[in-house]
Amino acid sequence: GQEQLSGMAHMTGYRGEGPMKSGINHGDPITGSHAAGVLMAALRYRRKTGKGMFIDVSQQESSVALMGPEVLGYQMTGQEPERQGNRSGWYAPANSYPCADEDRWVTIVATNEHQWQSLAKVMDAPNLADDARFSTLEQRRENHDELDKIISEWTATQEIYVATKKLQDAGVPSGPVLRGPDLLKDPHYADRGTFVTVDHSQVGPKQYPGIPWRMSATPGKVRWPSPTLGQHNREVYSELLGLTGIEIDQLDETGIIGTKPTGSRII
């Protein structure tokens, strides 16, 4: 209920339709960010004064803090913000457009006049850029519905990656809306080494997300697959806890430890 009670869900969705949840529960990540910052401030205070403090971090209030521009805008204009789906509050055109194959979408945005002119050329519609309805940013925003319809008619004839390459080569910001399988085949992710292959004893070699950041001195890497249940029981109980082989066997025989899940019991 954090997004609903903060007003965020009222902002999210498409024009003419109802509120929508974002899908990621913004209260969780933003509160974690706030908590990390305030903890650093409290530690700094302790270092300077030798005194600690209590910290109260509210997920609800952290969610409300994300709504600053909308709250201020309402106070200044008296108008509630309008749901705008995938459109931008500043640029036009800006949206996700359907491509040739089923449920394939490409994002396109023109952030300046040069990009708008380039988009019209890629679409092989030179007269579009001179159309009085779209000749300025303000007019494009005002006539965004008509513009989206025209762009959609073009993208509907294009394969998603073909359209993306045409637009990117012309300097128009664009990207495919990737589905799950697309991630593993995307050339940008492949070039970055985003996914790494890990050979797991139970499922075999699979691709997994690697380290999402790069550090020059300690780049980091995925060194081994996730352990199986009880895989390291012997090492932990003998080397770390000092138990004998007989004691470990007894723990295993009584079901206190093991390598297979125990049966669940419904209470």
Side-chain angles (χ1 to χ4, degrees):
Q2 296 163 13
E3 293 189 359
Q4 291 83 348
L5 291 174
S6 69
M8 189 181 302
H10 184 75
M11 295 283 305
T12 308
Y14 297 93
R15 288 189 306 158
E17 299 184 12
M20 295 179 66
K21 247 183 117 288
S22 72
I24 68 167
N25 295 320
H26 271 83
D28 292 335
I30 192 61
T31 304
S33 300
H34 288 174
V38 73
L39 282 170
M40 295 298 291
L43 291 171
R44 181 181 176 89
Y45 176 81
R46 188 186 67 177
R47 179 180 294 177
K48 295 180 65 175
T49 67
K51 299 178 180 180
M53 66 174 71
F54 289 102
I55 296 174
D56 180 351
V57 183
S58 165
Q59 286 189 297
Q60 191 64 63
E61 291 174 8
S62 291
S63 301
V64 170
L66 291 177
M67 301 299 295
E70 287 72 26
V71 173
L72 181 60
Y74 173 72
Q75 292 179 87
M76 297 294 291
T77 66
Q79 296 180 347
E80 284 193 70
E82 185 181 17
R83 298 184 194 111
Q84 57 189 18
N86 293 310
R87 289 182 180 176
S88 165
W90 298 275
Y91 309 118
N95 213 334
S96 295
Y97 301 92
C99 286
D101 297 322
E102 183 180 358
D103 199 25
R104 301 315 314 259
W105 299 79
V106 63
T107 59
I108 302 173
V109 59
T111 65
N112 55 49
E113 291 302 314
H114 176 72
Q115 292 174 0
W116 164 238
Q117 296 281 344
S118 298
L119 172 60
K121 290 180 181 178
V122 171
M123 293 172 58
D124 196 22
N127 295 331
L128 185 62
D130 299 323
D131 191 312
R133 295 171 298 172
F134 315 125
S135 58
T136 67
L137 172 59
E138 290 72 20
Q139 289 169 314
R140 291 195 293 275
R141 290 178 60 181
E142 184 176 340
N143 296 290
H144 211 311
D145 287 343
E146 297 174 65
L147 184 55
D148 277 350
K149 182 179 179 181
I150 294 171
I151 297 174
S152 294
E153 290 174 353
W154 174 73
T155 57
T157 67
Q158 303 291 310
E159 192 275 332
I160 183 172
Y161 277 102
V162 172
T164 300
K165 187 174 189 310
K166 288 180 180 178
L167 293 164
Q168 290 182 354
D169 287 347
V172 179
S174 173
V177 178
L178 299 181
R179 299 186 297 199
D182 299 328
L183 298 174
L184 301 177
K185 298 183 295 185
D186 186 82
H188 296 289
Y189 286 139
D191 185 63
R192 287 280 296 173
T194 300
F195 294 93
V196 296
T197 300
V198 179
D199 192 357
H200 193 279
S201 61
Q202 294 187 351
V203 299
K206 302 291 182 182
Q207 287 185 280
Y208 299 87
I211 307 299
W213 55 82
R214 304 289 188 272
M215 301 174 69
S216 60
T218 55
K221 64 178 181 180
V222 178
R223 293 181 289 173
W224 49 66
S226 57
T228 56
L229 180 63
Q231 177 180 337
H232 301 103
N233 278 351
R234 294 283 166 177
E235 291 91 331
V236 171
Y237 286 101
S238 63
E239 297 176 16
L240 295 181
L241 300 181
L243 271 63
T244 66
I246 295 176
E247 290 173 320
I248 297 174
D249 289 339
Q250 289 176 340
L251 292 175
D252 189 55
E253 290 169 3
T254 56
I256 295 175
I257 63 174
T259 57
K260 295 182 180 179
T262 56
S264 60
R265 183 168 61 92
I266 301 177
I267 299 176

